Amino acid sequence: MELTKVMEPLAEGGKVKTQASYKKLGKRLLRSKTGMIGLVIVAVVVLMAIFAPLLAQHDPAKTDVINRLLPPFWMEGGNTDFLLGTDNLGRDILSRIIFGSRISLLIGISAVLLAGAIGMALGLIAGYYGKVWDFIIMRTVDSLLAIPNILFMLIILAVLGPSLITLILVLGGTSWVVYARMVRSETLSIKERDYVRSAKAIGAKDFRIIIKYILPNVLSSFIVIATLNVATTIILEASLSFLGLGIQPPDVSWGLMLSDGREYIATSWWVAAFPGIAITVTVLGVIFLGDWLRDVLDPKIKD
Amino acid sequence: MRESLLSVDDLKVRFKTEDGYVSTVNGVSFDVEKGETLAIVGESGSGKSVTSLALMGILPANGEVYDGDLRFEDKDLRNLTKKQYRQLRGNEIAMIFQEPMTALNPVFTIGYQLRETLMLHYKLSKDQAQKKGIEMLETVGIPDAEKVMGRFPHQLSGGMRQRVMIAMALSCNPKLLIADEPTTALDVTIQAQILTLLRNLKEKSNTSIMIITHDLGVVAELADRVIVMYAGEVVEQAPINELFERPLHPYTQGLMASIPKIHDVVDELYSIEGTVPNPAAMPTGCKFHPRCPLGDIECTKVHPALEFVSETHSKRCIKVKG
Amino acid sequence: MKYFFQSLLKTIPVLILITLIVFLLVRVTGDPVSLMLPETATDAERDSLRESMGFNDPIMIQYFNYLGDLVTGDFGDSFRYNTDALNLILERLPATIELAIAAMIVAIVISVPLGILSAVKRNSFFDLFITGGAVLGKAMPNFWLGIMLILLLSVTFQFFPVSGRGTFGHLVLPAITLGTGIAAEMTRLIRSSMLEILGQDFIRTARSKGLGEAIIVNKHAFRNALIPVVTIMALQTSTLIGGTLITETVFAWPGLGQLLVQSVNLRDMAVVQAATFIIAIFVILSNLIADLVYRLLDPRIKYD
Amino acid sequence: MNTAEDQVIMEVKNLKKHFDMSKGFIKKTNTKVRAVDGLNFKVYKGETLGIVGESGCGKSTTGNLMLGLLDATEGNIYFQNEDIAHMTQAELRKARRDLQVIFQDPYSSLNPRMTVEQLVGEPLVVHGLASGKELKKQVTELLELVGLREHQMKLYPHEFSGGQRQRIGIARALALKPKVIVCDEAVSALDVSIQAQILNLLKKLQKEMDLTYIFIAHGLPAVRHISDRIGVMYLGKMVELAGRNELFENPLHPYTHALLDSVPIPDPRLRKEHQLIKGEIPSPSNPPSGCPFHPRCPKATEKCKVDMPEYREILPDHFVACHHPLLNEDTSILPDSATV
Amino acid sequence: GESSSSEGEEPVEKSDSKTLTIANGTDIVTFDIHDHNTTSTEAVHVNMFNYLVTNDGEGGFQPDLAESWENVNDTTWSFKLKEGVKFHNGEDLTADDVKFTLERIAKDDTLLEHGNYNQIQEVKVVSDYEFEIITKNPEPALLNRLSRLGSSILPKDYIETEGWEVFLEQPVGTGPYKFKEWKKDDRLTLEANAEYFGDAPKWEELVFRSIPEDSTRVSELLTGGVDVAVNIPPTDIERIDNTDGVSVVQSPTQRVMMFTLRTDADSVTGDPKVREAIDLAIDKQAIVDSLLGGAGTVTRTRVTPGNIGANEGLYEQTLYDPEKAKQLLEEAGYADGLELSMAAPNGRYLKDKETVELVTAMLSEVGITVNLELMEWSAFNQRYQDRDFNEMFYIGYGNSMFDASLALDRLTTEEAKGESDYNNTEVNDLLLAAEQNMNPEERAQQYQKAQEIIAEERPQIYMFQLNAITGVNDRVEFKPLLNEMFYADSITLK
Ligand SMILES: Nc1ncnc2c1ncn2[C@@H]1O[C@H](COP(=O)(O)OP(=O)(O)OP(=O)(O)O)[C@@H](O)[C@H]1O
Ligand SMILES: Nc1ncnc2c1ncn2[C@@H]1O[C@H](COP(=O)(O)OP(=O)(O)OP(=O)(O)O)[C@@H](O)[C@H]1O
Ligand SMILES: [Mg+2]
Ligand SMILES: [Mg+2]
């Protein structure tokens, strides 16, 4: 009997186990090759955006007609002053990519935050309160879903003019439906779980239940979708640039660079190729990270 | 005549997990004899299902048998080719599962799923298989068998589905039927129906049955012999009457004492303290010792072997004497 | 069928909402008249045009007039082409549908085998390769891919015509361009859907019956995995149509997408409204059909 | 059980809950699931009332109604002379201090994103009963009461085993010092050895804290072990209710009889042929006419097909709803003695 | 390049073909010649319809449908039609058709071109082949108007009996090619009109493709998919010239790019010295050379050669002197620099965005900080119509009239209000007088004088005249026209 007491903590787990589960997370990340790649890429891009002024060799807006369309340094005619070459106005492409990461990320992240906030709130309301709320919100969602995203943006941006703020507002304001749908359906199922009934049984008010019980439990799916949407948004911004409705100079984004550079694909490939690579790699990183988050945060796979 | 149909010797199964390999079945040995019903009992997570899946050769992708001998009649199961194993499965060894809700494919009709096995193993034509399928459904007591053949699983109740599973398992006259908790998900009145059905079938066909359960009531109803598992090991093995009359291992004893008896009300139930250990962090020595009333320092050191106290009764404990 | 009609009725509030959204979008947002005249036009010229087009009425009156017209099938006239907007759209619709279907086929042909394979060979090098490829397909903006395909397959190798619509060859590149992004998305979905199904009890049952792996994967698992995929495919209609805006512009494909881009730029409101509305109906219809297919595939859902 | 009227703590009168499953936009298909269909019973202070029945017969619904988690379609639930079925949200919240619940699934009944401390302390916080040090002290006491350690306070539910989780759930229910606890299949999901731990704990707590339990379960042995009186439900109706020994030794309703007979007895020497009842429980959305059990009942007559038998006290403290109760037959299905 | 192309067989095969394929950036918008204002549409229409007279691009006019004409008095012009001209449906062309056509556009104010024809009072039919055009006021530029967009002659009987709907679907004209098929946003096909009254058509079939994406259009040209491709991006000039079988031809257009500046006292640009400094700070030639790949001609006036009233002394001229610009700013009291805002459309004109970005950089060199506001065209246009710009905006005007009047009328005191706020009495008087002066020489002088003053005072700073850059397959001979029309028969097989 003595011994039972001694051994029990081991059997019951305890602190040891908690540490283990954090370590597990780290281990999992290390083991998941793609997750690791994703994390590194995203970290690099974020650092690049934060420290852009320190990293960039040149002023991204500085034009230099004499040095226009210089190839990257390893090619004939290129020089190390402009590592990745210059664009049609003689601006340093590397510096523009570094600064472009700011706007591309800013747009990606803020649009997603905005959409997420709206979608989360409306999804929770529709799912938790149901009835008329649900009807109104979900019909609106249905209507907006029936109109292709990009068309919607095209129309609004054509009118409002594509400034940074309008871009964020439009990108965010049209993509919340995805979150609303997801949050609603998750809410519907979480609402029926015993722990929500248990909260009701102890007398918790609706607001508390929504904030403390439902929201944290939809959060993991939410984060996954949000991460993936950052990627989608970066691409959407590029597409809008193609249609002439993306970011406008003197601001610079990867989408803008890519879209402007398409004219030079055949003659001066580097003008478009490098922003293209920047977008592709970043999106790749974000998606890998999102997939990894999905694996880690999904309770089904967790145990 | 004791004639071994299946013999399992020192079976070890492990899973590849994020913490490396975790061994969940650690040297299980037992025999199933022709015509007998063997019950495996034990707590959740003790490795009952894993053992049966290992026998069937259908462990999940991250699991593997890494040691031991598996013999079915004269075949060495571990050395069969994939194809040979497939011919064995569903044909000579059949299996029914716990959840009749999810064990049938929701998008195919009952008829399709029944015929599939028959056409595969007996090379029957579709019509022949249909006929035989209806016959099988009738055998397991399904009224309107012909209609049921055209139904989808969701259109049947839990009890009916379990009957379909049994019909499917028996359709190729297997020599061994493995039933993994076949009644756990069912209501008592339905459970009684299914247990009766199994008992009658056995009487008729001389199929050996290996039934996995944690309900000692079911064991008492059905089994000839019982194996008790704890933490991936066999801790006791005995003929049914002997086990109930004279359980030797402290775990078996505790298990028996902790069931509330329907007709013998006590004030306080006996209870085994603590919980089943995590397979990734097994206690040293005897795996039951942290929960064992008899456990002492000796038990932490020695991993007891399975000893026979009689020809048919064995236990894995150094404290109790046969 | 009864179910279908019921669902159809349920879309009425959605359609009304869409008319409102479309109307507001276009109407609140600006004055098309100035765009119809050259830079050198005078104010007086603009005013008379504005009056003659009825843009001086209060907004609600305009909306109700618009709704009223809509009910009679009158979507207004395109001022760019000076003809009935609906006709314009219906003329373009076949081209867009042709492209959309071709793209969908490309997407299916790519994604189904790859999705299944990578699920079956999960975590292998092969899986990593496909997953990486799928992500890459998604990470590449459409217009970029289109231009690259033209440069490579049309200009350098001259396998396919550069642009326009006509022969089968004309369809190949735009369909690949449009289909790739969707294929990427679908590959990932099929993979995860398959993975989920492969872990289910009935797969274990199928194995215990002695079925071969090919039958288990292609029949037992795939039939089940298909169910969510159909829904996703339907949800992709909207993305697909959205993608035509860009793909059609790149390939000079004479469809709705190109028409829309130009109409938006020129504020040809009647066309934008009508096209958006038609697209919305198209998307809703395809979702309804997917729902029906879903019901056919999944016997668990009963009609009515 | 001679319990005086004044000790009635809850009373359920003609309680009904019909779920409206109508579908369709234009043409309503009127399907109602009669989950609970006219229940009448009393709960006495300090007792354990067991409710048994097969899956889908309305046990959980009854429990949820008694907790005010569902709105009743019809009928009353008096708790300390106030009608829960007709309370406002605010009144209900107050009543919850005396009326708590323990759920079946220890995995889904605890919010995975809250620590044990938050889980157990939450009822106190919600009702503004304690905060800061006091809260911590009370939580510690509660954990001790259910056999958990203080050092486990900061852990999340997934770091516990099923039995431990169930203890957390019990501590949470006890936080408000309730008078009545509804245990909805509180031990069904647990392993036998753990089940015994929890049953013992519940019994101990009942004594110490003067609790009244409504113990819902389909596992008959556990119900018999813990209950003072037991009600048997079938298709949303109470078919029999009596003291536990009375019910087990002298079941009057053919369904009760069959139910008891179906339970496998963990003793190989007592192997026997079961008196099987045919068929399965009909759907509550389309219940049979008359007595709901008649299609499966060996004793059913024409009358049973038409008339719903009255629920009446046929013997002292023994209620039954049957036209043909097994009064004069030898109903003893159980052996005189059984040992292990 | 060579016609024996190394790029595979397609161009070679096409060489025998009597089909001419031309790639435009946009589709034609309509066959209602009165109800559009799109040069690229007109460029197609000229193959199906005829004007009364054509502008030879050197200040003179050539007969087309009209055999001869005469300016009878200030407001009356008499014309004589060629006889035997037939519409594609076989009807004869008569003066009634002319009356029908011109009076429609002159009277119907819902038509987009109405503004350019409402000067016409009436068309009097004298006989089948003789008629008079009466204008409301003296109209010196009548012939310019009659030789451009909106003045093609339509078949009266056909339209009146069949209705406009039918005409728009099966248009009928008098031109060398007749309508065959129109797949909107894809291609318009015309076929030779054997009955044409002039020289027999050289092509059996004309195909006008619409390919909006520049790089796609270039690719089509490179692969021989089209014979002529318009609006080639300057960056591709070299690439195309270096490819066998295709080459680029350039020709001036009527469009002149410019900045409009505010001249009112409240604006920093109200100071002429500031305006001059801005002009001097911009190296226009460098922009033309780098961004446009040489596809433009610097100018100090908007009225370019080929237009009545052009001041050739200001053409091909440019001023660039950043040092002097700095000095001027200093003199104006902006030694520490100054700030102004500049608006520009993005994507409307060739390299518009890049141009203003470069200009911004150049201005900053002399100490002018520019707050650049780039807008998508429709947003820009909205502000433009509302006259809502601040110090500077960038714009390009075309001139289909080939006359100085259209080019300069925004600088009259009345028209300049709220835009440049330019108010120079002398210029105003000169422009108003010239507007109705029927003496061509004197009129031209008035315009030339005005241009000189404007060039000095700089309410508008002219940048350059744009060139049309057209890609051409070597199998055809193509001489672009100043008015950007595609007369198919001026394009010939080599
Ligand atoms: N795919 C797997 N990967 C890792 N571990 C596994 C896997 N499948 C089973 N296990 C582990 O193997 C052990 C034995 O599991 P098994 O399913 O055999 O238990 P059981 O005795 O059948 O229990 P129950 O009564 O709950 O069915 C458990 O600890 C389980 O976690
Ligand atoms: N929210 C609901 N909507 C519709 N029907 C419901 C709802 N909740 C319960 N039901 C139905 O009411 C009937 C009774 O359900 P209840 O959960 O009370 O049964 P139970 O006796 O607790 O069963 P179990 O033993 O399976 O828990 C069932 O047929 C169930 O399907
Ligand atoms: Mg198991
Ligand atoms: Mg229940």
Side-chain angles (χ1 to χ4, degrees), chain B residues 14-17 22-25 41-53 59-63 98 180-181 212-214 229 232 277-280 282, chain C residues 204, chain D residues 191:
Chain B
R14 64 182 178 186
F15 289 98
K16 197 174 171 181
T17 71
V22 174
S23 185
T24 57
V25 172
V41 292
E43 236 156 321
S44 186
S46 56
K48 307 183 295 289
S49 301
V50 170
T51 304
S52 62
L53 293 179
L59 280 171
N62 62 334
Q98 171 172 2
D180 188 354
E181 318 221 14
I212 293 172
T213 178
H214 53 240
M229 282 183 70
N278 175 353
M282 281 291 173
Chain C
R204 201 173 55 181
Chain D
D191 260 321

Side-chain angles (χ1 to χ4, degrees), chain E residues 212-237:
Chain E
E213 172 64 18
D214 289 344
S215 63
T216 311
R217 211 160 46 241
V218 171
S219 297
E220 281 285 15
L221 178 73
L222 290 174
T223 57
V226 299
D227 297 309
V228 176
V230 304
N231 294 346
I232 300 293
T235 29
D236 283 316
I237 295 176

Side-chain angles (χ1 to χ4, degrees), chain C residues 130-178:
Chain C
I130 292 178
T131 313
V135 174
L136 209 69
K138 210 178 131 69
M140 218 163 359
N142 257 355
F143 66 89
W144 173 251
L145 180 65
I147 292 171
M148 299 300 274
L149 284 177
I150 290 180
L151 281 181
L152 191 71
L153 298 182
S154 297
V155 178
T156 309
F157 292 111
Q158 307 219 350
F159 290 155
F160 301 104
V162 176
S163 67
R165 180 179 180 226
T167 63
F168 177 74
H170 285 96
L171 185 57
V172 176
L173 293 187
I176 293 178
T177 304
L178 189 54

Side-chain angles (χ1 to χ4, degrees), chain A residues 192 197, chain B residues 187, chain D residues 17-21 32-36 51-64 70 104 184-185 216-218 233 235-236 282-285:
Chain A
E192 296 305 320
R197 287 203 292 151
Chain B
D187 277 319
Chain D
K17 176 70 195 179
H18 297 175
F19 290 104
D20 191 2
M21 303 295 283
K32 280 209 173 100
V33 177
R34 299 162 185 274
V36 166
I51 297 181
V52 294
E54 287 176 278
S55 173
C57 69
K59 305 182 296 289
S60 297
T61 308
T62 309
N64 286 336
L70 279 176
Q104 162 174 13
D184 189 355
E185 314 254 10
I216 295 171
H218 59 252
M233 282 185 72
L235 263 192
S283 147
S285 61

Side-chain angles (χ1 to χ4, degrees), chain E residues 98 102 140 283 426 449 451 481:
Chain E
V98 178
L102 294 183
D283 187 350
E426 193 186 352
K449 176 78 186 138
Q451 287 169 58
L481 300 174

Side-chain angles (χ1 to χ4, degrees), chain A residues 143 158-159 235 258 265 284 291, chain C residues 29 135 138 144 151 188 267:
Chain A
S143 319
V159 175
I235 296 175
L258 179 61
I265 288 180
L284 205 84
D291 280 353
Chain C
T29 48
V135 174
K138 210 178 131 69
W144 173 251
L151 281 181
R188 288 156 51 81
R267 300 289 191 287

